[in-house]
Amino acid sequence: MTSAAPENSRNRAAALPKSWNPGEVEADLYEGWVAAGYFTADPASDKPPYSIVLPPPNVTGNLHMGHAFDHTLMDLLTRRKRMQGHEVLWLPGMDHAGIATQSVVEKQLAVDGKTKEDFGRELFVQKVWDWKRESGGAIQGQMRRLGDGVDWSRDRFTMDEGLSRAVQTIFKRLYDAGLIYRAERLVNWSPTLETAISDVEVKYEDVEGELVSLRYGSLNDDEPHVIVATTRVETMLGDTAVAVHPDDERYRALIGTTVYHPITGRQIPIVADDYVDPEFGSGAVKITPAHDPNDFELGLRHELPMPTIMDKTGKIADSGTEFDGMDRFEARAKIRERLAADGRVVAEKRPYVHSVGHSERSGEPIEPRLSMQWWVKVESLAKAAGDAVREGKVTIHPAAQEPRWFEWVDNMHDWCISRQLWWGHRIPIWYGPDGEIVCVGPDERAPEGYVQDPDVLDTWFSSGLWPFSTLGWPDATAELAKFYPTSVLVTGYDILFFWVARMMMFGMFVSDDPAATEGNQGRDPVPFRDVFLHGLIRDEFGRKYSKSKGIGVDPLVWIDEYGADATRFTLARGAQPGSDLSVGPPHVQASRNFITKLFNATKFALMNGAVPGEPPARETLTDADRWILDRLDQVRAEVDSSFDRYEFGKACEALYHFAWDELCDWYLELAKVQFAESGERAASTRIVLGTVLDSVLRLLHPAIPFVTEALWRALTDAGENDSLVVAAWPAAADARPDAVAAQRIADLQKLITEIRRFRSDQGLTDKQKVAAKLNGLDRAGLSGQRGELAALARLTEPGDGFSATAAVEVRLSETTVTVELDTSGAVDFDAERRRLEKDLAAAEKELTATGAKLGNEAFLAKAPDHVVDKIRTRREVAESEVARIGARLTELKELTTS
């Protein structure tokens, strides 16, 4: 290497800022990548394809930590594959979010005292489009801040023209195949939103209610009667039977008879059904088929009437009682009062804590309600989705989630796809004046005089088409031919069944469609080959994120404070298949510190002339050089293997510890000694260090793209058109690992570590050098490491007045090395004693505090396990410190008295 090369490196080091300030560079770097077209996929490329479709966030949404987690992992996958030579498509888009978006616009109208009905359907829908253009999609700007390397030129929206065509096409095909039908069935009903909602939009919460036991039949104990219990007294207005177990001797004589309904006065039958648990309560159950899922199924079995006694707003209606017109909760109290006055309330248990489903959007308790809706017949579709996994066409990671997948798809109920909204894909069913029904496809027109169904499709219907509709289906596009099936779906395990199952069902349904299979010879007809399921984000105490409870953090706050790289690395480092991730400020601070360490190490390397290149012949390199090159290749192999198995955390952990513990803490320190020498040895070290850093930056780039890009450009003197985004991924080394060099470095590290430990115990500062005699160094094969040992252990050659006051024996791989040290005059015993006594007091205080908590039964009963474990660990550390400091104080006493 010429003398100009180190000087050029120093100039590039000087051009770097004094410290890494992500807020000053991240935005410009990102926009530069986009402008250069690095994220734009080319379907005409002859490179092997790799594709991911972004799970579409709601158009109303903002980037939350779950999004940041998802997006970080997808970006990591696509950036790595791009560097490995694949033609990569990461396709972005947004979901129209029917309920959420309509609610936002309705709330805006309500400010002016208006409702959607004041405008009519067409004008209201136009207002929603106006809102979408003006205010929707804030999350896309936030995605840029995170560093998402998506192909913005292919941004899609579930209501755009192409996707709407796909929705109409598949609806008609399913309808024509007899897989879509209309029926009156029980649904989750939101009285506030006045629509059916999906299971995923129902959140169950424990609430304090009351369990009321009621007497049906005669008030005379000698005449037929039964006792039933309910938490929803108002639903009794829709009771059409009382059910008992067929083997329950208490009610055998009553089966097939009727009892008096205490409010309506109707005689309702007593039926026998295995559904009833004779051990629970009285063993008799009131049956309200139109307002309870289990009662509905029982009602079908026994052909019971199913009167709906609530309207779409949750008010009592058509019951023929004085309670008509009352809100359901008002009616609950009024009916109980009347029953109590009539002597019908046998018992009341309050508070009675039970789980109640609530609408995620509106917050109110949902109402199971019999309603005429459109449904997908899922049996054959679900079987195909299950078989795709059974036959290995789709692989679920981790495999431990497969049983849950099969449990879901093998027992799936028909899917309610209609919603009573105005915003969304309107159901393409038209009704004629004489009851005719026609399904209209995207290139068809309804007959004159026909009226379209007012409902819209469930948002999950259009998002279920996402992997292929976004690529142009039902048309045979170049994108479909190149990138479908997609490579992997990344999502949380919590929506495995709701979204993933629907994409699988639809993907398998169109698997014989030429548009979806053209050009895909040899590829299985599935929407994606792998499904990677990550866990949920929790705070540092293990609590699930909850906006309403103030638990969690906004990722944009972290990006503002610590940078996108630190935020991303925190999430990637904790990601393991199927496992939840606990993160908090200490974790992102550790990531920020790691990035600072990497920045400072690269800047130091540049200041010392490091430059990537082909290292000299192995036999000319030092043990340290050969060791770090071998370790780099071993870590690269480990990282590749982990990423291929979607073990993001394991890969990032390996890179973290290699970069910090081995490269920075050891090799850089050893390199300083080698830099001090002139000639070829220093030149070789500059190349080795530059080459290792070059590879480390490449390996880290998918997780922390911004700082690695800035450092790599400086390290490699990259031109304006060069970028780490499209640089080659590190390949396996040709050389065989040097086991001898590795062992010598391991022995050297152990020897230095033990000497440093002794120095620390003696209270010696890093600046204090100590004269030492090294016995056995030649036998250990470390004679060539004397300079490194002296520099890193802060040792000097023994002089004429050398007098050993202490010795350190270190057992190495082949022999024992004894280090005699002359610490006379180097240790201030009085100062060390004062320091140790202060440390001992602190350790004893910690021991007392942790002992008090662990001895507090009330605290232990309430504290989470991970909190108790942390306290136990703190106590163990304190006990160790007390023992260590006590031993040293005893040793000091002996030294001073002698």
Side-chain angles (χ1 to χ4, degrees):
M1 181 168 34
T2 66
S3 59
E7 189 60 35
N8 192 15
S9 295
R10 295 184 187 101
N11 291 338
R12 297 198 300 276
L16 286 171
K18 182 178 181 181
S19 60
W20 178 247
N21 188 336
E24 294 179 355
V25 295
E26 288 180 348
D28 288 343
L29 282 175
Y30 183 84
E31 294 306 323
W33 294 332
V34 173
Y38 295 143
F39 306 141
T40 304
D42 178 10
S45 166
D46 58 2
K47 297 178 183 178
Y50 188 85
S51 56
I52 296 179
V53 289
L54 178 80
N58 287 353
V59 66
T60 59
N62 287 294
L63 189 79
H64 57 61
M65 197 61 85
H67 290 134
F69 191 25
D70 255 354
H71 293 204
T72 293
L73 301 185
M74 285 182 277
D75 197 37
L76 193 156
L77 290 171
T78 53
R79 285 180 182 270
R80 174 172 175 257
K81 286 297 182 181
R82 187 180 292 111
M83 295 174 74
Q84 288 181 318
H86 288 70
E87 187 63 35
V88 172
L89 170 63
W90 184 17
L91 191 148
M94 292 186 297
D95 194 292
H96 66 278
I99 292 176
T101 308
Q102 179 163 321
S103 296
V104 167
V105 178
E106 285 193 84
K107 287 177 181 177
Q108 289 184 349
L109 297 180
V111 173
D112 297 325
K114 301 287 186 180
T115 67
K116 66 181 187 296
E117 286 78 13
D118 292 327
F119 295 89
R121 183 168 192 146
E122 186 175 345
L123 185 55
F124 174 78
V125 169
Q126 185 56 53
K127 284 187 172 295
V128 181
W129 276 110
D130 292 342
W131 176 88
K132 187 261 181 184
R133 281 188 288 270
E134 295 170 6
S135 305
I139 194 171
Q140 293 191 329
Q142 296 157 359
M143 288 165 57
R144 290 173 178 264
R145 294 198 59 196
L146 187 65
D148 285 9
V150 297
D151 184 348
W152 290 113
S153 71
R154 289 182 169 85
D155 186 27
R156 304 305 300 268
F157 181 55
T158 50
M159 287 279 286
D160 69 26
E161 184 177 351
L163 271 67
S164 295
R165 174 181 171 82
V167 168
Q168 281 186 276
T169 299
I170 201 165
F171 185 100
K172 182 168 175 57
R173 292 187 186 181
L174 289 165
Y175 181 83
D176 290 345
L179 296 177
I180 286 182
Y181 64 95
R182 194 174 187 227
E184 192 174 39
R185 304 276 294 275
L186 212 65
V187 297
N188 300 312
W189 187 265
S190 169
T192 298
L193 301 172
E194 299 182 17
T195 181
I197 61 176
S198 71
D199 289 341
V200 75
E201 292 163 326
V202 177
K203 302 300 179 185
Y204 286 87
E205 302 173 9
D206 286 341
V207 299
E208 290 188 356
E210 59 178 348
L211 183 66
V212 183
S213 296
L214 307 174
R215 182 171 180 139
Y216 282 39
S218 176
L219 288 173
N220 188 334
D221 289 344
D222 296 329
E223 296 177 356
H225 65 276
V226 292
I227 306 298
V228 298
T230 181
T231 58
R232 300 164 64 217
V233 176
E234 71 281 4
T235 63
M236 71 175 301
L237 299 177
D239 287 354
T240 57
V242 172
V244 297
H245 194 276
D247 298 331
D248 194 330
E249 293 293 338
R250 294 171 295 177
Y251 301 110
R252 187 177 295 276
L254 293 179
I255 295 173
T257 66
T258 62
V259 290
Y260 173 80
H261 188 287
I263 293 291
T264 67
R266 294 192 302 266
Q267 290 290 326
I268 58 175
I270 297 179
V271 299
D273 197 284
D274 290 337
Y275 157 70
V276 180
D277 179 3
E279 302 299 323
F280 182 77
S282 68
V285 181
K286 60 185 285 297
I287 303 300
T288 318
H291 293 279
D292 181 273
N294 294 315
D295 292 4
F296 175 75
E297 296 297 332
L298 190 147
L300 289 176
R301 290 195 293 272
H302 295 273
E303 298 182 346
L304 298 174
M306 298 187 179
T308 299
I309 51 90
M310 289 184 206
D311 66 14
K312 63 181 182 179
T313 66
K315 291 182 179 179
I316 304 299
D318 301 325
S319 72
T321 70
E322 70 267 30
F323 305 106
D324 281 357
M326 290 186 186
D327 176 80
R328 53 183 169 154
F329 301 115
E330 179 188 3
R332 180 179 299 177
K334 295 294 184 182
I335 293 171
R336 183 178 51 76
E337 289 174 7
R338 173 175 160 179
L339 291 170
D342 292 345
R344 296 281 179 179
V345 176
V346 177
E348 294 176 283
K349 182 179 180 181
R350 65 172 81 153
Y352 179 74
V353 178
H354 60 126
S355 183
V356 176
H358 288 69
S359 167
E360 183 182 44
R361 297 298 176 191
S362 56
E364 98 268 43
I366 61 103
E367 187 64 43
R369 183 171 182 263
L370 194 63
S371 177
M372 184 65 75
Q373 302 286 346
W374 285 94
W375 303 81
V376 172
K377 190 180 298 183
V378 301
E379 183 178 5
S380 61
L381 301 173
K383 182 181 184 303
D387 289 346
V389 176
R390 288 188 179 93
E391 296 168 5
K393 296 175 182 177
V394 175
T395 303
I396 293 178
H397 305 267
Q401 292 285 351
E402 282 190 7
R404 296 181 62 202
W405 169 257
F406 295 131
E407 174 66 22
W408 178 261
V409 297
D410 292 347
N411 298 282
M412 190 182 295
H413 298 294
D414 285 0
W415 170 21
C416 175
I417 57 171
S418 47
R419 298 291 181 267
Q420 290 62 56
L421 302 170
W422 286 358
W423 171 247
H425 295 282
R426 195 162 176 181
I427 289 177
I429 293 289
W430 294 71
Y431 304 101
D434 297 320
E436 303 95 333
I437 298 178
V438 61
C439 182
V440 177
D443 299 319
E444 301 171 344
R445 294 178 63 87
E448 191 71 28
Y450 277 49
V451 178
Q452 189 173 5
D453 193 290
D455 290 350
V456 301
L457 287 165
D458 178 12
T459 298
W460 295 100
F461 191 94
S462 53
S463 60
L465 313 180
W466 193 248
F468 51 91
S469 64
T470 53
L471 297 174
W473 186 90
D475 297 327
T477 64
E479 285 78 8
L480 268 173
K482 179 71 174 180
F483 297 112
Y484 188 81
T486 61
S487 304
V488 61
L489 174 75
V490 177
T491 191
Y493 64 68
D494 55 328
I495 62 168
L496 168 64
F497 317 118
F498 297 105
W499 186 43
V500 181
R502 283 151 175 73
M503 287 188 288
M504 286 281 282
M505 290 192 302
F506 285 158
M508 299 307 293
F509 181 72
V510 302
S511 62
D512 59 351
D513 186 315
T517 57
E518 182 179 335
N520 294 344
Q521 291 85 359
R523 305 184 211 166
D524 287 321
V526 292
F528 25 72
R529 298 181 188 87
D530 286 351
V531 176
F532 170 70
L533 301 170
H534 58 71
L536 304 178
I537 295 282
R538 299 181 181 274
D539 71 0
E540 67 266 40
F541 304 110
R543 298 176 299 179
K544 185 177 177 180
Y545 269 34
S546 170
K547 185 176 181 180
S548 61
K549 296 178 181 177
I551 298 173
V553 66
D554 180 349
L556 296 174
V557 172
W558 276 10
I559 292 173
D560 286 339
E561 188 168 355
Y562 304 106
D565 283 333
T567 302
R568 292 165 59 107
F569 196 69
T570 301
L571 298 172
R573 189 181 175 193
Q576 295 295 354
S579 299
D580 290 353
L581 168 63
S582 293
V583 292
H587 302 91
V588 71
Q589 289 162 8
S591 297
R592 187 260 325 267
N593 295 345
F594 172 66
I595 289 165
T596 299
K597 184 85 168 180
L598 186 67
F599 180 86
N600 290 339
T602 306
K603 194 169 184 179
F604 165 82
L606 286 167
M607 289 297 295
N608 284 275
V611 61
E614 183 65 32
R618 299 269 296 187
E619 60 271 16
T620 68
L621 299 177
T622 65
D623 284 344
D625 294 338
R626 292 196 293 273
W627 163 74
I628 199 66
L629 288 170
D630 288 344
R631 283 296 298 135
L632 171 66
D633 195 52
Q634 291 160 7
V635 170
R636 178 210 54 77
E638 181 182 351
V639 167
D640 276 337
S641 176
S642 296
F643 278 149
D644 287 344
R645 297 193 304 270
Y646 302 104
E647 294 175 346
F648 301 93
K650 189 175 180 181
C652 291
E653 196 72 6
L655 286 169
Y656 174 92
H657 286 292
F658 174 73
W660 192 304
D661 300 344
E662 298 182 87
L663 176 58
C664 294
D665 284 359
W666 283 107
Y667 184 71
L668 279 184
E669 296 303 312
L670 294 170
K672 289 177 183 178
V673 180
Q674 298 176 182
F675 283 149
E677 301 183 20
S678 59
E680 292 302 317
R681 188 174 186 186
S684 296
T685 301
R686 292 187 181 98
I687 294 176
V688 170
L689 178 56
T691 300
V692 171
L693 272 172
D694 177 34
S695 290
V696 167
L697 294 174
R698 292 171 192 250
L699 291 169
L700 280 167
H701 176 74
I704 49 174
F706 294 105
V707 68
T708 52
E709 173 82 319
L711 294 176
W712 184 82
R713 287 181 179 180
L715 180 69
T716 61
D717 198 17
E720 290 184 3
N721 297 323
D722 294 325
S723 173
L724 193 47
V725 175
V726 290
W729 186 255
D734 295 331
R736 296 179 61 182
D738 189 331
V740 174
Q743 188 58 65
R744 281 201 287 257
I745 293 300
D747 284 344
L748 179 63
Q749 290 172 330
K750 184 175 182 180
L751 184 56
I752 292 170
T753 299
E754 291 303 318
I755 296 172
R756 285 174 172 175
R757 182 177 290 115
F758 173 81
R759 291 173 57 96
S760 175
D761 289 343
Q762 299 298 312
L764 295 171
T765 67
D766 290 341
K767 293 181 179 180
Q768 290 178 291
K769 292 189 176 183
V770 178
K773 284 185 178 181
L774 306 172
N775 303 314
L777 210 59
D778 292 344
R779 292 194 309 274
L782 297 179
S783 57
Q785 315 288 346
R786 286 181 180 273
E788 287 83 351
L789 177 60
L792 272 64
R794 308 296 292 161
L795 304 178
T796 61
E797 292 291 327
D800 294 338
F802 178 84
S803 176
T805 59
V808 179
E809 287 191 355
V810 184
R811 176 66 188 174
L812 302 180
S813 58
E814 299 295 335
T815 187
T816 297
V817 171
T818 301
V819 183
E820 299 179 68
L821 299 116
D822 183 359
T823 60
S824 57
V827 180
D828 184 338
F829 292 123
D830 288 337
E832 184 182 5
R833 183 185 298 106
R834 288 193 298 271
R835 177 181 61 80
L836 289 171
E837 287 172 347
K838 182 178 179 181
D839 292 346
L840 180 62
E844 288 174 337
K845 183 179 179 181
E846 174 75 347
L847 203 59
T848 301
T850 54
K853 285 189 176 181
L854 293 175
N856 186 332
E857 294 297 333
F859 170 78
L860 294 176
K862 295 180 180 179
D865 290 345
H866 68 277
V867 172
V868 176
D869 289 343
K870 284 184 179 179
I871 294 173
R872 288 198 178 104
T873 300
R874 285 169 48 199
R875 182 169 178 79
E876 290 171 1
V877 171
E879 288 173 341
S880 176
E881 280 294 279
V882 168
R884 182 188 68 80
I885 296 170
R888 177 57 182 161
L889 285 170
T890 300
E891 185 180 356
L892 281 180
K893 184 176 181 180
E894 293 173 353
L895 285 171
T896 54
T897 55
S898 62

